[in-house]
Every structure is written in structure tokens, then in C-alpha cells.
Amino acid sequence: MSVHKEAEEAAYRPEVVTFGETMGLLIGGPKGIEHSASLDKSFGGAESTVAMGLARLGHRVGWFGLLGDDPMGRLIVKTIRGEGVDVSRAKLVADAPTGLILREQLAGKMSVYYYRKFSAASRMRPEDLDAEYISQAKFLHLTGITPALSPNCLETVREAIRIAKANGVKVVFDPNLRLKLWGLDEARKTLLEFAEEADYFLPGLDELKLLYETDDFDEIVGRLRRLKAQSILKGGDDETYVIKPDEVVAVPYFKAKHFVDPIGAGDGFCAGFLSGILRGFDPVEAVRLGNLVGSLVVQMIGDWEGLPTREEADAVLNNKAHVER
């Protein structure tokens, strides 16, 4: 890398910083993993999907994490960089592998198999954080996946929040509950701790039924109102809910014309919502953009490939006709 390029990356000031594990992804065809002669290759990670979504929507964003210095790790870094995301704080390590996901969809049922134990990402520690890099951002985006990877990853997330709070950086937290990574009791304690620290809290309704131990919608809303965060509740039957002090605003989904792959919808929503907030939208309009991005992601195979550009998203929001030829 040239000295000029190094100086450019060192001076880059993202609006949003996020970090976490991104893994190689192999997707089985119609016959599933066991009987397919070949698998489609990609990668997936909630935080990097949000980062690429924001970059496509025209924002300055940085993502970092630890990856193995292996073919999949190098592919991930190059591709995320190619999407316009700053990866100058990401690291390739020689003594641990990049994690791997196998995924298949058979008879309408999605199955995911993780191979991430002892992965490079699970080794992340607080000293891997660049405090100055985080402190100059407007938002720090976090998910509940990273603290589930290892005790040192949990402490890394806590330290990142401390850095953000000390520098006036707003914390965006999506719990992304993954019960394949930890038990519900441990997850509940940790995720609710981080919800208390968040400025924007983006849970799913099904997640909160588990975390709050109730199916009562009004009780869930009441719990959310006691947080200091602006809470956005995903996963209604046909809408996303903006929780306000005196009302709940239901924002209808955009219907997907061609539903292909459900993975990535929530992360696409988060990217769209944050884009709206960065553009000065009120929370309801930001949720509308988030709903749109989520609906577009599920119309293409892969976690992030269907993320729209700002021009594509705005065209749908403004009902512009698509010119085919």
C-alpha cells in the first residue's frame, strides 16, 4: 500500500463504525448441501452487511474485525473494501481461521450450520479497538452476536460502548439473538444490559418475547418506554413499530415482489433506518426506508447482495417507473 493511500485511510472519518464477525458462506442448491455437486460461495455477517448497506446508500462507514489470513478472509476484506467500506482497522491473523457458515433451504425450511468455534473473530480483545477511530464517528453500531462469541469479545463490546459514551457517539444496538451461540439466561442478562446503554434499540418482537419473558405486546411496549433509547420494534405481522412516549406508530412493510432468501432482511432494515437518521429523517420516515431496504434484500440470494443503492431506494420511495430498455 502506498504512503498516500495509508494517509487517506488514516484520515478517513466514517459517520458510522461497526465491528464483528464476518464468515465465509456456502449455500446449497435446490438439492441441499448433502446432495449438491457444488455450493455457491459468499460471506455473511450482520455488522458487515449493515456497513455495506450504508455504503451503498451513500454514507461513510467503517467496519473492522479479525479474520483468518486465509483465502476466505482475504476475499471478505477485499469485497467489503470494494463496496466502499473502510476496512483499515480490520486485521488478518495467521494463527486462527475465518469462520464458516453452511446454509440450505429445503421444503421452505432454512437451516444454518456454523463453524466458528476458535475462529479469528472470537479472539478479539479490547486492545484491538482504535479508540480514536470510534470517537470521531456519529454512530457506533453493535449487535448481540459479538458478545456471544467469547468472554473477551463481550469485554470488547463493553469497552467500545465506554469509548462511544465518553465521546458523544450514539450507540445503535440490535440484539440479534442467536441461541446457537449461548443460552437464553446468559443472553438475556447481557443483551438487556446493552439495551440500557443504547441510544437506538432495534429488537425483533420475537426476540423481546424471549428476553422480556412475555407475549403481552402492551407489556413489551411498556418495558421499551422505560429505556432511554429510541426503540424500533421489528417483526410485526405486517409492520414495524416506532415506540414513542405517548403512542405506537405502525409503519407498513414494503411487500417483496419476489421472495427468495430471508437472511439479511433485519440487517438491511438497520442500514436503511440508520441512513434515514443520518439524512435527517424523523424515526417514522427512517423506518419506512429501513422497511424498503429489508424488502429488497430478500429478493436476491445472499445476505447482502440485494442491498440497494441510494438511487435505487429513492426511486422506489418516490414511485419512479423503472425503464427496462
Side-chain angles (χ1 to χ4, degrees), residues 123-139:
R123 297 187 175 193
M124 181 170 282
R125 298 180 180 278
E127 50 265 36
D128 291 312
L129 299 173
D130 183 336
E132 183 178 356
Y133 188 69
I134 294 171
S135 68
Q136 49 74 53
K138 295 179 181 178
F139 295 96

Side-chain angles (χ1 to χ4, degrees), residues 21 46-47 116 143-149 174-176 178 181 191:
E21 180 166 38
E47 300 85 1
R116 67 198 313 173
T143 79
I145 298 172
T146 308
L149 298 178
D174 184 339
N176 259 302
R178 296 289 187 271
L181 291 177
L191 299 182

Side-chain angles (χ1 to χ4, degrees), residues 250-312:
V251 184
Y253 293 155
F254 283 82
K255 300 298 184 183
K257 295 181 180 179
H258 305 286
F259 184 86
V260 176
D261 183 349
I263 305 298
D267 301 320
F269 170 87
C270 187
F273 173 76
L274 272 176
S275 175
I277 296 297
L278 287 165
R279 292 167 68 176
F281 293 4
D282 65 43
V284 172
E285 285 303 306
V287 165
R288 186 166 180 261
L289 178 57
N291 283 349
L292 170 62
V293 175
S295 77
L296 294 174
V297 170
V298 302
Q299 297 184 58
M300 188 178 294
I301 292 177
D303 292 24
W304 55 270
E305 286 84 344
L307 292 163
T309 64
R310 178 178 291 198
E311 292 74 19
E312 290 167 342

